[in-house]
């Protein structure tokens, strides 16, 4: 799926070819995504089903609350209490980690609220929420008459108290998504029926003024989607659900690009270890997509993790990366159809004293126990008749056959790495070729490009590839992508791969690899070979 670049700056925010991966499906209508910054999971609502669910990389999707009072928008405050908009009760509530439930707002001027819909928290602790009447309709709430005759936007003061109406009573038809700018001097609010985004100046006391149209005409007769959920990124761009997926507006109000999704998107939220994964709640499914930019820094994103580590949405500090997502516990492989590829396991790549030792690659290789895991897998594979193919990056002295069109190749030349006949080009101890193994040479990232790999595979009748080696996010991933395109069944035992650090490894394994390969581990592959 290709996203739509309308202005060049859009590609500074997201790769126009970034894959949209599905993390769960089979739901009725998903909403309210929010990422827990220390426990690393996504919460989301299935409103018509009256269920709240969570997703994490280890367990997948699990139900956490039924009934959920048909909750919609959710966020956290600075103390990681969950703030929830409940359609069925027309309430804004706070759920504390110990299970206590505190009602924050139910009425305005003695009349019951319509149905709080979306919510965000300012750094002073005040809470802003929208109040359309969708929760008084069938399916999305509980059908019942309205008490208020208008749909407003409200604020709960930092110390609590009744909701304060912030806008003219007749300004909005159905106010929905809302978000602050990075400096909290602006509040954006969209209207699902009128289809504009309005922007307001935020005063020191939290009041709004100078309301004006920021963007309009967010509609299409050709694609499903309306303004609903909305978030601001750290650079001040506004991301709003819209026809076909998510539309992205620059701080100037110019539409700069469109993120495409397979289903109608209702809401969005950034998450992941470094808040660079955009989660989309899209009708029957939840999707994720990697971005180059993170969200505006919200108060909950600075919460303290267990052990005192700070979680950050920016580049200054980063938490430990999430554990890799491994699947296929019941995998079965026919050894007669399999080939084991061991790629770039050379001294310059992952050994101390190698050309790229300063990158952190030797330390990550040790943390992954990648040499021993791969050696053990290769030994088992040979015993079962699996073809073992070593793929080496091999450069002649002076690198005369190496193009310098990319930083990786420039780095190989500058560091005089993987030069034929030298220690750096030799395989690491423990992974030397054995009798019957094949050796393939290359001068590209992918094992396929310009090599005899496919000739060997076809000659040996092998169409299932067990893909191992260094570096996970470069050579291994490129080989997996191309192998999938060529029609090969790709298997990636993640503990037989390493790169420069755990974060890069997990990003590749948990996202890109999930779309092109079966991700598993060495023990599961050995078992699958029988």
């Amino acid at each position: 799926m290709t996203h739509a670049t309308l202005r060049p700056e859009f590609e500074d925010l997201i790769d126009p070819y970034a894959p949209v991966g599905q993390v769960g499906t089979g739901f009725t209508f998903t909403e309210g995504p929010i990422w827990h910054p220390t426990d690393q999971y996504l919460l989301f609502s299935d409103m018509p089903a009256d269920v709240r669910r969570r997703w994490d990389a280890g367990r997948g999707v699990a139900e956490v609350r039924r009934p959920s009072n048909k909750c919609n928008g959710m966020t956290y405050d600075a103390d990681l209490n969950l703030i929830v908009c409940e359609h069925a009760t027309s309430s804004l509530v706070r759920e504390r980690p110990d299970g206590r439930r505190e009602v924050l707002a139910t009425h305005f001027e003695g009349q019951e609220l319509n149905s709080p819909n979306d919510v965000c928290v300012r750094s002073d602790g005040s809470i802003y929420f929208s109040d359309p009447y969708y929760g008084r309709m069938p399916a999305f709430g509980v059908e019942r008459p309205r008490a208020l005759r208008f749909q407003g936007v409200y604020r709960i003061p930092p110390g609590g108290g009744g909701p304060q109406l912030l806008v003219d009573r007749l300004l909005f038809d159905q106010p929905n998504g809302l978000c602050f700018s990075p400096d909290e001097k602006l509040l954006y609010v969209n209207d699902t029926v009128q289809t504009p985004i309005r922007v307001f100046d935020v005063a020191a006391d939290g009041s709004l003024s100078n309301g004006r149209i920021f963007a309009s005409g967010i509609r299409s007769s050709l694609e499903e989607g309306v303004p609903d959920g909305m978030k601001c990124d750290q650079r001040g761009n506004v991301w709003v659900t819209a026809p076909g997926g998510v539309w992205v507006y620059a701080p100037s109000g110019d539409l700069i690009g469109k993120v495409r999704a397979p289903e109608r998107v209702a809401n969005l939220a950034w998450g992941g270890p470094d808040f660079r994964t955009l989660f989309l709640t899209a009708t029957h499914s939840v999707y994720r997509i990697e971005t180059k930019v993170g969200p505006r820094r919200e108060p909950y994103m600075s919460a303290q993790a267990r052990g005192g580590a700070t979680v950050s949405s920016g580049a200054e500090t980063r938490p430990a990366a999430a554990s890799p997502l491994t699947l296929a516990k019941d995998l079965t492989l026919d050894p007669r159809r399999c080939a084991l590829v061991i790629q770039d396991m050379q001294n310059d790549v992952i050994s101390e004293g190698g050309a790229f030792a300063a990158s952190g690659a030797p330390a990550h290789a040790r943390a992954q126990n990648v040499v021993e895991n791969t050696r053990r897998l290769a030994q088992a594979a040979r015993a079962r008749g699996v073809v073992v193919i070593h793929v080496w990056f091999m450069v002649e002295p002076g690198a005369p056959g190496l193009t310098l069109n990319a930083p990786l190749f420039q780095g190989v030349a500058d560091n005089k790495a993987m030069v034929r006949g030298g220690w750096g080009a030799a395989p690491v101890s423990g992974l030397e070729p054995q009798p019957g193994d094949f050796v393939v040479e290359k001068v590209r990232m992918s094992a396929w490009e310009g090599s005899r790999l496919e000739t060997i595979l076809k000659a040996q009748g092998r169409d299932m590839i067990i893909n191992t080696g260094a570096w996970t996010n470069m050579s291994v991933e490129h080989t997996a992508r191309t192998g999938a395109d060529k029609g090969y069944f790709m298997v990636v035992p993640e503990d037989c791969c390493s790169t420069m650090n755990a974060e890069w490894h997990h990003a590749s394994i948990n996202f890109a690899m999930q779309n092109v390969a079966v991700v598993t581990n060495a023990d599961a592959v050995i078992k699958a070979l029988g």
Side-chain angles (χ1 to χ4, degrees), residues 312-379:
S312 171
S313 62
E316 297 84 5
T317 58
R318 294 176 184 266
S323 298
L325 173 60
T326 57
L327 304 173
K329 295 179 181 178
D330 298 322
L331 180 68
T332 300
L333 297 171
D334 183 351
R336 296 168 299 180
R337 298 174 58 187
C338 288
L340 170 63
V341 170
I342 303 174
Q343 187 165 193
D344 294 353
M345 299 296 273
Q346 297 163 267
N347 288 321
D348 270 341
V349 182
I350 65 167
S351 295
E352 293 290 356
F356 300 115
S359 69
H364 188 245
R366 289 194 301 272
Q368 286 287 95
N369 199 25
V370 69
V371 175
E372 175 56 24
N373 288 338
T374 306
R375 186 203 63 76
R376 183 166 53 87
L377 176 57
Q379 184 179 33

Side-chain angles (χ1 to χ4, degrees), residues 288-472:
R288 64 185 175 192
I289 181 171
E290 292 303 293
T291 61
K292 300 177 183 179
V293 67
R296 79 107 181 169
R297 189 182 184 90
E298 299 194 40
Y300 77 91
M301 295 175 185
S302 298
Q304 293 295 305
R306 293 179 180 88
T310 300
V311 178
S312 171
S313 62
E316 297 84 5
T317 58
R318 294 176 184 266
S323 298
L325 173 60
T326 57
L327 304 173
K329 295 179 181 178
D330 298 322
L331 180 68
T332 300
L333 297 171
D334 183 351
R336 296 168 299 180
R337 298 174 58 187
C338 288
L340 170 63
V341 170
I342 303 174
Q343 187 165 193
D344 294 353
M345 299 296 273
Q346 297 163 267
N347 288 321
D348 270 341
V349 182
I350 65 167
S351 295
E352 293 290 356
F356 300 115
S359 69
H364 188 245
R366 289 194 301 272
Q368 286 287 95
N369 199 25
V370 69
V371 175
E372 175 56 24
N373 288 338
T374 306
R375 186 203 63 76
R376 183 166 53 87
L377 176 57
Q379 184 179 33
R382 293 185 188 101
R384 292 161 174 78
V386 174
V387 171
V388 177
I389 305 173
H390 303 261
V391 179
W392 295 339
F393 202 114
M394 194 65 64
V395 179
E396 304 300 329
L402 182 65
T403 61
L404 305 181
N405 59 297
L408 173 68
F409 306 135
Q410 182 72 57
V412 170
D414 290 346
N415 289 283
K416 298 181 174 58
M418 281 86 79
V419 176
R420 186 185 302 280
W423 172 83
V428 298
S429 178
L431 291 180
E432 299 88 352
Q434 302 299 307
D437 291 357
F438 292 89
V439 174
V440 169
E441 296 182 359
K442 61 165 190 173
V443 287
R444 301 282 95 181
M445 277 185 283
S446 172
W448 304 94
E449 186 67 28
S451 80
R452 64 189 188 111
L453 174 61
E454 194 159 24
T455 301
I456 295 171
L457 293 170
K458 289 187 178 299
Q460 295 291 319
R462 309 292 167 140
D463 60 358
M464 306 176 81
I465 298 175
I466 304 165
N467 186 26
T468 72
W471 288 332
T472 316

Side-chain angles (χ1 to χ4, degrees), residues 22-72:
Q22 189 181 76
V23 304
T25 191
F27 314 121
T28 311
F29 186 87
T30 59
E31 252 287 5
I34 185 66
W35 182 260
H36 197 289
T38 62
D39 292 346
Q40 300 290 296
Y41 62 78
L42 181 80
L43 279 184
F44 63 97
S45 169
D46 186 342
M47 278 191 299
D50 204 12
V51 179
R52 185 186 306 163
R53 294 184 171 90
R54 61 172 278 173
W55 173 88
D56 64 67
R59 297 195 309 165
V61 176
E63 184 176 308
V64 296
R65 185 180 291 272
R66 182 194 293 264
S68 66
N69 291 330
K70 298 203 171 184
C71 69
N72 192 338

Side-chain angles (χ1 to χ4, degrees), residues 26-281:
F27 314 121
T28 311
F29 186 87
T30 59
E31 252 287 5
I34 185 66
W35 182 260
H36 197 289
T38 62
D39 292 346
Q40 300 290 296
Y41 62 78
L42 181 80
L43 279 184
F44 63 97
S45 169
D46 186 342
M47 278 191 299
D50 204 12
V51 179
R52 185 186 306 163
R53 294 184 171 90
R54 61 172 278 173
W55 173 88
D56 64 67
R59 297 195 309 165
V61 176
E63 184 176 308
V64 296
R65 185 180 291 272
R66 182 194 293 264
S68 66
N69 291 330
K70 298 203 171 184
C71 69
N72 192 338
M74 295 184 285
T75 192
Y76 292 105
D77 63 21
D79 297 321
L80 291 184
N81 300 303
L82 185 66
I83 311 298
V84 184
C85 296
E86 294 185 347
H87 274 194
T89 66
S90 294
S91 301
L92 183 73
V93 303
R94 176 186 284 126
E95 295 180 7
R96 299 191 182 276
D98 61 8
R100 286 179 295 155
R101 182 177 184 271
E102 175 189 355
V103 177
L104 299 175
T106 59
H107 290 69
F108 176 72
E109 294 184 344
Q111 301 293 313
E112 190 176 52
L113 295 169
N114 296 310
S115 54
N117 189 282
D118 204 359
V119 60
C120 59
V121 177
R122 195 172 175 223
S123 58
D124 66 354
S126 55
I127 301 170
Y128 291 66
F129 67 95
S130 58
D131 187 43
Y133 58 81
Y134 290 123
R136 292 176 179 263
M137 296 180 178
F140 296 105
V142 177
E143 189 172 13
R144 60 205 192 278
R146 286 185 281 153
L148 291 174
R149 308 313 298 175
F150 65 91
Q151 294 69 247
V153 176
Y154 298 89
R155 172 182 183 264
I156 304 294
Q164 303 168 345
L165 181 64
L166 298 172
V167 298
D168 185 277
R169 296 177 185 229
L170 301 180
L171 182 61
F172 288 98
D173 192 326
Q174 294 283 30
N176 201 322
L178 71 172
C179 60
F180 285 103
S181 62
D183 60 7
E184 296 187 339
K185 293 182 179 179
L186 301 173
L187 181 74
Y188 299 92
V189 185
N190 66 49
D191 190 312
T192 299
V193 173
Q194 297 175 9
T195 73
I197 300 172
R198 295 180 183 273
V199 60
F200 301 84
D201 295 331
V202 183
D205 64 0
S207 61
L208 304 183
S209 64
N210 190 29
R212 62 234 184 239
I213 297 294
F214 172 75
S216 60
I218 307 174
R219 56 165 65 96
S220 171
S221 60
L222 302 177
E223 295 179 296
E224 285 192 317
V226 292
D228 194 336
M230 185 165 62
K231 295 291 187 292
C232 196
D233 69 28
Q234 65 191 121
R235 302 179 189 176
N237 303 291
V238 176
W239 302 56
V240 61
T241 66
V246 175
W247 292 7
V248 183
Y249 290 87
S252 62
D254 294 321
L255 180 61
I256 62 173
K258 299 179 179 182
V259 178
R260 300 295 188 187
E263 301 178 61
R264 173 177 171 171
V265 180
N267 212 331
L268 65 156
W270 271 279
D274 58 359
F275 283 95
R276 292 297 184 277
T277 301
L278 186 65
F279 289 94
L280 308 177
T281 48

